[in-house]
Amino acid sequence: MPIAVEMPKMSDTMEEGVLVAWLVEEGQSVQAGDVIAQVETDKATMDLEAYDDGVLLKRVAEAGASVPIGALIAVL
């Protein structure tokens, strides 16, 4: 069953984040807690961890893209 990975709210004032870099390739297995990407918020660059175990099926947002909170960025 596909699992949506959405841009999380990483600070109280964050409205969108810049997806700085993907650290996992499509087709790669991940476990909950693995760092899959880096996101720049309005305050800092933070690690984005997988919330579920699975395989990264598709990266929807490209590195460098500005993505609003709650928007789809990947599918596990």
Side-chain angles (χ1 to χ4, degrees), residues 13-46:
T13 58
M14 180 179 168
E15 294 182 10
E16 64 183 15
V18 175
L19 187 60
V20 176
W22 282 107
L23 304 178
V24 176
E25 297 296 324
E26 289 180 354
Q28 189 173 342
S29 294
V30 298
Q31 294 182 346
D34 287 353
V35 177
I36 59 172
Q38 292 182 322
V39 174
E40 182 179 324
T41 70
D42 54 337
K43 298 187 186 265
T45 300
M46 304 176 75

Side-chain angles (χ1 to χ4, degrees), residues 5-20 37-49 51 61 65-73:
V5 179
E6 299 173 344
M7 177 63 75
K9 185 171 185 173
M10 299 175 123
S11 75
D12 291 339
T13 58
M14 180 179 168
E15 294 182 10
E16 64 183 15
V18 175
L19 187 60
V20 176
Q38 292 182 322
V39 174
E40 182 179 324
T41 70
D42 54 337
K43 298 187 186 265
T45 300
M46 304 176 75
D47 291 337
L48 174 63
E49 296 180 358
Y51 296 117
S66 181
V67 182
I69 292 172
L72 183 68
I73 58 172

